[in-house]
Amino acid sequence: MPTLKEFKSNISKGRSVSVKLDAADRAKSRKLSWLLPAIYLCAAVVLIVVAAEFVLGITGLGDDEYIKIDPVLGVTHLENKNCTFRQEGFSRSRLSSVGLRDYEHSLAKPAGVKRIAFLGDSKTQALQVNIPETFVHLVEDKLNADGKTKFEAINFGMSNYGIIQEFVQFLTRVRPYSPDYTVVVYHIFDSSENLPSFGKLTLPAPTVSVNSRDEMAIDYTYLDGFLASPSTRFMLASDWLRRNSHIYQSILSDDLMLRSASPWYTSIAKRVMAPFETTFSSTMNSVSTGSLGDYEPVRKAVKEETLGLDKRVSHDKIWHWDIAAANKGEGAVFKELNDAARNEMEITARIFRMLNLACLDSKSKLIVVPLPAPNNSVFYFREIECLKKLAQKEGFTVIDATSKFPNLAPMEKHPTYYTGHFSPLGHRMVAEIITDGMKPVLNK
Amino acid sequence: MLFNSFEYLVFLPLVVLVYWLVPRQVKAILLIVASYFFYMYSFKVYGLLLLALTAGNYVLGNIIHQASEHPIRRLLLVAGIALNLSTLAIFKYTNFILDSLNYALSWMHFHLLIPVATTTGINDLPIILPLGISFFVFEFIHYLVDIYKGSEPIRSPIRFALFASFFPSQIAGPIKRYQEFNKQLDENPSVTFQQFTSGLFLIAQGLFKKIALGDNLAPVVKAGFDNPHLMGTAEGWICVIAFAFQIYYDFSGYTDIGRGSAKLLGYSLPENFNMPYIAGSLKEFWHRWHISLSTWLKDYLFIPLGGSKGKESATAANLLTTMLLGGLWHGASWTFVLWGIFHGVGLAINRFYDRQAEKSKAVKEFHDSWLAKSAGYVLTFLAVLSGWVLFRAKNLPEAFGVYQSMFTLRAPSVDCGVSYAFFNSSIPAAIAIYLLLFLSSLLIKKLENQQSSSSGVVAVYPPPKSSSLPLPAMAHLGISFFIALVMLAFCRGEVQPFIYFQF
């Protein structure tokens, strides 16, 4: 057995040395042979994950999550949350303390300020561009450029919102801000999203139903189904990660993108998850929904106010296309589509009547802005005609952005759009149209 | 199948796993099957084209070799080259030739005889370019020419089929040399842990280059080239510089993934890039950019044309011809022809200057001065940038519009989206992370060098097991994991194809 000095000397000279280990040493060595590497491996993994979180944090990437479950509206924005959007265009922004895709706004209206509340879906939310480049703020800038009156625009836009959500949003979230003008940015499919029969809603939402006595009621059945689902409970359970881990948020976002882009991914994910589905469901069923708070009083108030407003508004029909006379040659499919569009629009018209009344009750003027759509959207253009007719009857304003916007066929090939949403150029054009349309209303 | 798709992320590990599990005799067949699956994933019918060309070239190669002294050899070589080039011409240049012919005829006030032309508003013939055809056709020509010159052919049809279809280099190179590939097959490909981790590192690095850098630069470039008249001077330069880096990260990213994938299978593919934008001359640029193509062009075009053995004017003409055809190889369009001519002229000037430096002491002194060297870097980069305008533009008016924005002083239009697309993106973050990765890869190389220089020392305690997990390998693994995590935040909705796939 060499001495330690000989051992070191041999190694430093590049000679081989042999060491005979006794049984205890060998056992100790075996124990260490897997324990130490395992510890090193775990430490390295943790270190790398922390480093990646740190790098993503300082570069402002991986803040992809922005949605939270709301038992009244279906979904709203997470509050006080940085948000990176990369699916289409690119933006970094911070969601406000009350969950608006906007700067902070005080609840109390400042003296001498006229407030404009913008309600709408993802087109208004405009995650594809930074907040100052959204048409909401461009309209504000343009109106303030005159200098006579100070205007404050607030963006209440939220992806996937339909007209019924915007109506409920007005009653619960918008009205407390005392807006002088309520601008509802209307878009294709907004009308169909009001009904549970639409069935293709990707996010939870309240819907409406009309009973045999022709009374319109807010229906939470569809939303409650979502609230009880394992995936919603999983969202609630993983709330901390969804707010704080950039890696986790990126994984969720990539998962969503891959599900629409790769059939392989969808199929593999389904197969991999299948054996765990039962365990997952039973585990998630034990997750409490207590974090959603006591929402029943708010729901009750909304339902009652809706019933009250519905009794006060006209139920006259607005859709005037006689399918049998006008489209004899179009066939059964066209008739079916027309019937569906008529049914949806009649409901939408009633919601707009109620919204207009609610606005008037709170001294706010309703303005509806139908956004452009591809020129083959036949029924959407009929909806706009209905809205114009309704506006004349009920005394609100429609600013038709479709007529002044470049022809969109197909939409995504136009420089005003990225793919499905406005580019900065599109926002500038929409802002110009809205500002020009609002000026006569403001001067009244 | 795209290297940056989810499908490839499933395909590669499966192939690697099965490859190392099956017996040696089956490995090559497995790789051929995998390569054909990879190739036919998007467009099945062109698998037959690859198969037919492989069979044709294999047979021709063997006949050329056997007819060693027979005068028919030269004829067979010409037939082989014609077979490959005509296949390329049919798929790649038919519409270009007909379009140009129609344009010329209409310019001369003749009636259009051929009912296809883009310039006349009539649709092109519906020919879909087979993926990677330009690359494997060049590999086949190299194979036939080298056999004609006396090299041994690949005897085994399986080996030849693998050489022709090897998926890590199938679609966009690097353009392989069959001797090196066959030698690797002789040596029975194996892989050490260190090679395996460096393969993973290359794949991760390549994906980062493509997804985080190349794809994020694409909207900046698109905003400029789609509307060149809206760009101001600064936007013009930002747009073209963005394209220079987009194409570099896109193509070198592809090569890294290919080389990394090959390493996982125990193969080594040639390097294709060596920091091309730090070149001090155009000649050096072509030693650093798409190295496998430039060496192919030198060996199989420039030298057969006469190379630099004749008069200076002949050498210049050879350079011009080589680069013109090199330009045309990239794409069937006049912009690529002009791009090739641009580089040909540049290389001829470069050569003329080098000759003057050899002849004149004063020029030599200037040539060696720091001023000339600095100017060399700047001028080379400017020349390369100017060339990229032709490369990226869809047509000459578009290229002219971009040149106008670059070389005239003007303010941008409010609708110009170039600066917006650059600054409102994850590009600055991606560049910062890439620099971090670049520095860490240098550090790993240093570690590897240190380890290899100290390899004379043999220690038995700690036991030899520990040396199977060397530090550089662990660093490669760790950094690959880090890149994978960070890259999750860069992926966009749609998988963007690699730019060189269109060639």
Side-chain angles (χ1 to χ4, degrees), chain B residues 153-195:
Chain B
I154 300 178
R155 301 281 178 195
S156 154
I158 289 173
R159 281 190 177 198
F160 186 72
L162 181 58
F163 164 70
S165 64
F166 190 56
F167 71 86
S169 64
Q170 189 183 57
I171 311 292
I175 301 167
K176 305 184 293 294
R177 298 298 171 101
Y178 84 90
Q179 296 89 339
E180 286 164 28
F181 191 81
N182 201 33
K183 199 175 146 200
Q184 292 186 55
L185 279 164
D186 285 339
E187 287 163 2
N188 184 23
S190 61
V191 69
T192 63
F193 182 68
Q194 193 155 344
Q195 283 166 340

Side-chain angles (χ1 to χ4, degrees), chain B residues 241-319:
Chain B
I241 291 171
F243 179 65
F245 284 95
Q246 183 203 348
I247 194 165
Y248 170 65
Y249 288 128
D250 190 283
F251 195 17
S252 72
Y254 167 85
T255 311
D256 286 349
I257 301 169
R259 291 183 64 228
S261 305
K263 271 196 172 192
L264 299 187
L265 299 163
Y267 289 84
S268 170
L269 291 177
E271 287 210 35
N272 229 3
F273 295 92
N274 180 20
M275 294 193 278
Y277 295 134
I278 60 159
S281 66
L282 267 187
K283 185 181 165 190
E284 192 188 343
F285 173 78
W286 281 103
H287 284 145
R288 290 171 174 272
W289 175 270
H290 202 172
I291 300 165
S292 66
L293 174 71
S294 48
T295 47
W296 192 99
L297 288 174
K298 188 187 85 184
D299 293 346
Y300 300 100
L301 202 54
F302 179 68
I303 292 173
L305 281 170
S308 54
K309 283 181 182 165
K311 288 179 184 173
E312 281 304 306
S313 57
T315 304
N318 292 340
L319 276 172

